[in-house]
Amino acid sequence: MSQLSNPKGQASRWTNPWVILGNVSVGTFMSTLDGSIANVALPTIAGALHAELHVVQWVLTAYLLTICATLPVMGKISDMFGRSRIYNIGFLIFAVGSALCGLSDTLGLLIGSRILQALGAACLMSNSQAIIAEVFSSKGRGRAMGITGTMVSLGSLTGPGIGGILVEHLGWTSIFWINVPIGLIGFIAGWFILPKDRDRKAAQPFDYTGSVLFMLGMVAFLFVISGGQDWGWLSPAVILGGGLSLLVLVLFYLWEKRSRHPMLDFSLYKIPAFAIGNVTALLSFVALFFTNVLMPFYMQDVLGFTPAKTGYTMMVYPLVMAVVAPVSGWLSDRIGSFALTTAGLIINALAFGLLNTLSAEETAWMVGLHLGLFGLGGGLFQSPNNSSVMGSVPRDRLGTAGGLNALVRNIGMVLGTSLSISLYSSRLSAVRPYAPGEQGALSALHTVFWTAMAICLLALLVSVQRRRTKPKKDSMPA
């Protein structure tokens, strides 16, 4: 069994890192689950709060944008004041935000409560991998990362199914109230079992200017990406908004490069394993969310599946990944990350190619087998990749690294969702005059899936560069 790392002044009342992993897994699952659990509840919320559906979409958008805007900030704060402390505070903030969501009787209050909930989620997401990387030695880190990777996938992909069951039987507020007892129990348990932080007060000043520039630029950029399909990609709003957001992000980069105590430490990207792992993860999540977004369209609009049948079929993906990811992480501790990440990306690319062989008459079992390949490929890739990324950085910057790793994942989800819908809609409009109905939809889907396959192959080209880095077995200094 792996031994708990115990740097200076950092003792825990528990010496079993697997107990700590259990607490972190709960926080990881809960925070990622709420990124998608409200999807199926939007029509019900719109009716209950007497709001237009396109306005209610902000219940989802506000949550995702807040997380993306604050993840690196929370990671930096954690490096300054303690990862366990900020992680545990995240449980409490998330529980309070969830309770306020459940009590909301207006849309404005609900969106504001979702923003508070997202701040708690950012505290959890930015520190989960950092805590695991810190308490596990190199021999057990890959396996532990595999389990946390499973929690990310289960949370992200099972949200709509769990949300649908809760909304149907207990009402829309239940999707938020269920978090309250879990969050409170996680907070109390974390108080006793998480490793105790060293006193890092006033270690360095906080970069307020950099933080504000990053949040403004990132929110504006992702807002434009999310709305591009509705506004038109060549509309003045997209061109002007996109240009201004990129300008702010450039100003942020220039500020950080000259700052003595930057909020986002770009020097981490000088570490080859960290840079390669982050770029590969971004491309992988972009491609995989092509599937997550458009396979339900295929199953319901082309195959005629019911929403329930679609949900059960989609569950094959996360369930296979839940089995494969821990095994892949365990193997990465013994043979390294290169072979596993390479195999995972190859399988994902082949899976996208095989999706183009599906016809307008397929059984749920056949579709499920195809989705299972993505679970296999994703499980093989994510755990070793996360272990490689987090194992390559110095211990005192694990919080920043964890925040960046989670940020890459969330940006990939947003980009994958927006780009897949835009590509599908554009292609469908182009082929509809001569390929109406199911054939037009299949043609548009094939274009999307070939594009996703190309993105996977690009990720593979980047990923194989890690063989040249020859990382040490455990790069983190004790």
Side-chain angles (χ1 to χ4, degrees):
M1 179 179 293
S2 305
Q3 295 301 311
L4 181 64
S5 299
N6 188 21
K8 298 176 183 178
Q10 206 170 28
S12 173
R13 298 180 189 182
W14 293 80
T15 57
N16 190 336
W18 298 100
V19 177
I20 296 173
L21 176 62
N23 182 271
V24 170
S25 295
V26 170
T28 300
F29 178 79
M30 188 173 66
S31 56
T32 53
L33 177 73
D34 268 63
S36 60
I37 195 172
N39 291 22
V40 295
L42 292 185
T44 305
I45 294 174
L49 301 182
H50 310 290
E52 297 292 333
L53 191 58
H54 72 276
V55 181
V56 175
Q57 288 282 349
W58 274 97
V59 173
L60 301 177
T61 305
Y63 185 84
L64 293 174
L65 289 184
T66 301
I67 289 176
C68 288
T70 57
L71 271 170
V73 178
M74 294 303 179
K76 179 63 176 179
I77 291 174
S78 300
D79 283 341
M80 293 173 63
F81 299 106
R83 286 179 277 278
S84 294
R85 183 180 295 117
I86 300 301
Y87 177 87
N88 221 29
I89 290 173
F91 263 128
L92 195 58
I93 295 174
F94 194 90
V96 171
S98 297
L100 291 175
C101 287
L103 293 171
S104 297
D105 56 1
T106 66
L107 184 59
L109 180 57
L110 177 58
I111 292 173
S113 301
R114 283 284 279 176
I115 291 174
L116 179 62
Q117 191 186 38
L119 290 174
C123 292
L124 295 168
M125 289 182 181
S126 63
N127 288 290
S128 58
Q129 291 182 346
I131 291 172
I132 295 306
E134 188 169 20
V135 301
F136 277 85
S137 68
S138 60
K139 293 182 179 179
R141 188 183 303 130
R143 186 179 177 189
M145 288 291 183
I147 294 173
T148 56
T150 299
M151 293 300 106
V152 169
S153 299
L154 287 177
S156 301
L157 300 174
T158 60
I162 294 175
I165 295 171
L166 290 173
V167 170
E168 182 174 346
H169 296 288
L170 300 174
W172 70 268
T173 59
S174 63
I175 65 177
F176 302 115
W177 282 116
I178 193 174
N179 295 321
V180 177
I182 298 174
L184 292 176
I185 292 172
F187 171 76
I188 294 171
W191 183 266
F192 293 100
I193 69 176
L194 291 178
K196 302 306 176 184
D197 296 303
R198 291 172 289 180
D199 188 2
R200 310 183 188 196
K201 291 183 180 179
Q204 57 181 253
F206 185 71
D207 182 13
Y208 293 100
T209 302
S211 299
V212 171
L213 287 173
F214 177 81
M215 288 189 286
L216 288 176
M218 185 57 64
V219 168
F221 176 72
L222 293 178
F223 180 75
V224 169
I225 292 295
S226 299
Q229 175 61 31
D230 295 330
W231 306 333
W233 289 105
L234 297 178
S235 66
V238 170
I239 294 174
L240 182 61
L244 288 175
S245 65
L246 291 176
L247 177 60
V248 173
L249 290 174
V250 169
L251 291 175
F252 162 73
Y253 173 77
L254 295 175
W255 173 268
E256 295 297 278
K257 292 294 287 184
R258 61 181 293 185
S259 175
R260 293 182 59 189
H261 304 288
M263 183 275 291
L264 198 160
D265 190 353
F266 284 101
S267 67
L268 286 174
Y269 288 98
K270 295 180 181 179
I271 303 172
F274 182 85
I276 291 170
N278 268 262
V279 173
T280 309
L282 174 66
L283 294 171
S284 176
F285 272 100
V286 169
L288 290 177
F289 261 69
F290 277 38
T291 306
N292 198 41
V293 171
L294 289 180
M295 283 305 289
F297 281 88
Y298 166 69
M299 285 185 270
Q300 294 185 58
D301 294 347
V302 178
L303 300 182
F305 287 5
T306 64
K309 190 175 183 179
T310 300
Y312 288 130
T313 307
M314 288 292 293
M315 287 290 288
V316 175
Y317 179 173
L319 289 177
V320 171
M321 192 167 185
V323 175
V324 174
V327 177
S328 176
W330 175 78
L331 283 173
S332 73
D333 292 330
R334 285 153 177 77
I335 66 173
S337 62
F338 178 79
L340 295 166
T341 53
T342 301
L345 290 171
I346 290 174
I347 290 172
N348 280 339
L350 291 175
F352 275 116
L354 289 173
L355 284 183
N356 290 297
T357 67
L358 293 176
S359 68
E361 296 181 0
E362 301 287 354
T363 65
W365 283 105
M366 181 57 67
V367 177
L369 285 174
H370 282 72
L371 291 175
L373 283 177
F374 289 102
L376 174 61
L380 286 174
F381 168 78
Q382 287 190 29
S383 303
N385 190 65
N386 287 338
S387 180
S388 173
V389 167
M390 297 303 292
S392 68
V393 302
R395 189 180 299 279
D396 61 354
R397 288 188 284 176
L398 280 173
T400 300
L404 286 172
N405 208 25
L407 173 65
V408 162
R409 181 177 68 238
N410 281 272
I411 291 177
M413 292 177 184
V414 174
L415 290 177
T417 299
S418 301
L419 294 177
S420 61
I421 291 175
S422 179
L423 187 60
Y424 176 78
S425 300
S426 300
R427 181 60 180 166
L428 189 61
S429 298
V431 302
R432 186 167 282 164
Y434 56 87
E438 295 174 351
Q439 291 305 314
L442 277 175
S443 177
L445 285 168
H446 289 169
T447 300
V448 172
F449 294 146
W450 284 125
T451 303
M453 181 179 181
I455 295 173
C456 273
L457 292 175
L458 177 60
L460 178 63
L461 289 176
V462 176
S463 183
V464 295
Q465 300 304 311
R466 76 180 76 225
R467 175 176 280 274
R468 300 180 181 178
T469 64
K470 297 181 181 180
K472 296 178 182 179
K473 192 173 183 180
D474 187 357
S475 299
M476 291 193 307

